[in-house]
Amino acid sequence: MVIPLIAMVRKDLLIFFSDRRSVIVSFLVPIAIASFFGSIFSGPSRGNQQARIDVMVVDRDGSVISRSVVTGATADANLRVTQADEQTARETVRRGKTSVAVIIPPGFGDAAGAALFGGADKPQLGMLYDPSRSMELAMVRGILTAHLMQAVTREMFGGAQGQTYLEKIVPQIEASEASGLEPRQKQLLLQMLRSVQSLYGEPARSGTAPGGLTMPYTVREEAMTAGTNAAYNGYAHSFAGMGIQFLLFAMANLGVEMLLERQRGLWKRLRSAPVSRFTLLLGKGISGALISLMILGVSFVFAMLAFGVRIEGGLAGFVGVAVACSLMASAFGLLVAALGNTPATARGVTTLAVLMMVMLGGAWVPTFIFPAWLQQLTVVVPVRWAVDGLDAMTWRGVGSAGAVVPILVLLAFAALFAVAAALRFRWEETS
């Protein structure tokens, strides 16, 4: 058994490396795609300039409040503000060149100041946005809320507009009997407004004016990585996801090649050798696991040399996850060969299956954007455990103990695929 097994493994490896196109696709393509995704998701921690959201502002009001809002938004580190007319803003957003356009209507400053005390209708701030980038709309809305509140309260509690408004509204409230307020509420409102008027009469120290209401807290952000000196490296996650994807594609192709061998009658000759079904599947499984391990190893060596990816969680754990991933992918290839009727149908079905596993496993996009029921479904996807295990051993720095569960789960998937392949294996095509 040993001699035929070694011969089969050697034959598969020689065939793999003799096909130059297969070698290029298997090694260089995952490196290129992983490098691309890593450059996108690596974030500002590697010295890159923080990405800003493009916002176009149309100030049709021109009041002190609207100008203050525009000034504050322009100085915000999260936004890249451009001023334009409304027609230009609409066309720019429609073409997808700008995420959000904010339209400040005429009279916005006066109406917002009056609405601050609840005595007038609230003005509408127009927002035009690209529907494919709705997450950026939510961010812009939150950022503008802070700048709007500061601009309105600064002007109403310390500016000329606020003083003029109070001089007009206080006598009206005092003279009104049908203001819609209970006597006690009316008294408290007048007391508050007179206190604000008194504030205007106080000389400002050092020539300063009230700054308006601001956010009553600051945020201290701390990225949880392998250590205080270890920054998040987006390339580590990218190479994990793309590496697993191409392992599955390579092993699916191995399964299709097995179907082609059966179609050519090679399996009949092997059977007459005689070579048992167990020996055939074991030989294919070993050669597939070795090829998978080489692909994953070359990809991560490149990531370490080119992008500074480091194994922060333990070399033993990383090797264990890599081996478990390779065994799982190889067993998946055997399953493709066992379940496939013809090479053509197997190739189409397995392509869809691999893409679905990769997407659900979080290799392409973060799983937090999935619906809740879909997030729960990802626990039955082997790619999710493979990516989590490689992340834990690289940038997360969890330690080798953090590799135990992903390894066990991946080995369980490998055993499941292998058993199913052995049960469904057929020496000849069914008519």
Side-chain angles (χ1 to χ4, degrees), residues 122-137:
K122 298 178 182 180
Q124 286 188 339
L125 187 72
M127 283 194 173
L128 312 174
Y129 69 97
D130 184 342
S132 67
R133 301 156 81 175
S134 57
M135 294 181 64
E136 296 179 16
L137 171 67

Side-chain angles (χ1 to χ4, degrees), residues 383-396:
V383 175
R384 178 256 175 100
W385 296 97
V387 173
D388 286 352
L390 292 173
D391 280 351
M393 294 302 100
T394 52
W395 66 269
R396 289 191 187 278

